């Protein structure tokens, strides 16, 4: 099975900060990677699919990059509504493993 | 628009079974895979398995093999997840989610999610 490792597991940031979250796969997954945002008590919400494509309705301050084994989710200017937990997930082949998550909270 | 409506919360004893339903609407049911994902309290997301509504083919995470069964009723556009031999550690929110690819020839990952069903295992 492909393992997904996210870092950091948590971070504190201020409104307006640029935030970067990384996700590493245990083998090449080409660009078969999604990013999700989850707020407390809610279902996850898809932000980025295929490593770098922005899901419809998601603000352009979110972007994704990477291929192979190393991927990045960037929030260019953190907004109050962005404080949440973020997960990566590979979609290369089942089982479609999630990363452990990155909790972004207020500094 | 796409809707996935799951059945209500369940409380079960260890060793029992639970069957959670997920009723889909707003799209052609047989064109999209359906995923099941769970989340224990305060923990991360765990992908459990996937079902192909066109034919019923399934794939499960190995740790659930023998305990989880995904089935479907195409007449009502409903998918079921049954988990048997429940343990305390199966206490979690269980989500169904529709895949993003509009063909079962490929898998894009969960795009549209149900509201979740809380399953509590307690003696």
């Amino acid at each position: 099975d492909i393992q997904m490792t996210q870092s950091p597991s948590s971070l504190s940031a201020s409104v307006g900060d640029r935030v970067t979250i990384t996700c590493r796969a245990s083998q090449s997954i080409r660009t078969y990677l999604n990013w999700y945002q989850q707020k407390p008590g809610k279902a996850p919400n898809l932000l980025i699919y295929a490593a770098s494509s922005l899901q419809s309705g998601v603000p352009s301050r979110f972007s994704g990059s990477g291929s192979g084994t190393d991927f990045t989710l960037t929030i260019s200017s953190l907004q109050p509504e962005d404080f949440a937990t973020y997960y990566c997930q590979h979609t290369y082949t089942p089982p479609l493993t999630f990363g452990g998550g990155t909790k972004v909270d207020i500094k | 628009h796409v809707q996935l409506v799951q059945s209500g919360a369940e409380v079960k004893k260890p060793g029992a079974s639970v069957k959670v339903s997920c009723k889909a609407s707003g799209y052609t049911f047989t064109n999209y895979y359906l995923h099941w994902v769970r989340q224990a309290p305060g923990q991360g997301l765990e992908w459990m398995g996937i079902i192909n509504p066109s034919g019923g083919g399934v794939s499960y995470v190995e740790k659930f093999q023998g305990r989880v069964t995904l089935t479907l009723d195409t007449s009502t556009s409903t998918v079921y997840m049954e988990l048997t031999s429940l343990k305390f550690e199966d206490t979690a929110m269980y989500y169904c989610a529709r895949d993003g690819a509009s063909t079962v020839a490929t898998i894009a990952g969960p795009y549209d999610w149900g509201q979740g069903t809380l399953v509590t295992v307690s003696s």
Side-chain angles (χ1 to χ4, degrees), chain B residues 16-111:
Chain B
S17 300
V18 67
K19 193 169 188 178
V20 178
S21 67
C22 170
K23 183 173 175 58
S25 62
Y27 69 98
T28 302
F29 180 69
T30 51
N31 283 5
Y32 295 78
Y33 283 104
L34 275 155
H35 304 258
W36 286 87
V37 176
R38 76 176 187 178
Q39 186 171 37
Q43 302 301 308
L45 300 171
E46 182 176 28
W47 189 84
M48 299 178 67
I50 192 171
I51 186 165
N52 178 352
S54 175
V58 294
S59 176
Y60 305 125
V61 170
E62 188 173 347
K63 71 176 280 187
F64 296 112
Q65 289 280 2
R67 285 210 303 139
V68 69
T69 304
L70 301 182
T71 56
L72 51 86
D73 181 347
T74 54
S75 69
T76 60
S77 298
T78 302
V79 175
Y80 299 91
M81 186 283 299
E82 183 174 25
L83 189 61
T84 61
S85 301
L86 288 168
K87 312 170 188 179
F88 293 117
E89 52 266 38
D90 291 320
T91 293
M93 185 71 78
Y94 289 78
Y95 294 101
C96 65
R98 189 188 77 153
D99 194 79
S102 59
T103 166
V104 294
T106 187
I107 296 173
Y111 273 40

Side-chain angles (χ1 to χ4, degrees), chain A residues 77-100:
Chain A
S77 178
L78 198 67
Q79 298 301 300
E81 60 268 30
D82 300 337
F83 292 97
T85 301
Y86 295 84
Y87 295 92
C88 62
Q89 182 196 28
H90 84 81
T91 61
Y92 186 71
T93 188
L96 308 186
T97 324
F98 287 93

Side-chain angles (χ1 to χ4, degrees), chain A residues 5-12 19-23 35-38 73 82-88 99-105:
Chain A
T5 304
Q6 266 183 256
S7 61
S9 56
S10 65
L11 65 89
S12 296
V19 170
T20 299
I21 298 168
T22 63
C23 182
W35 288 98
Y36 301 87
Q37 177 193 67
Q38 187 180 33
L73 174 70
D82 300 337
F83 292 97
T85 301
Y86 295 84
Y87 295 92
C88 62
T102 297
K103 184 176 181 180
V104 177
D105 61 23

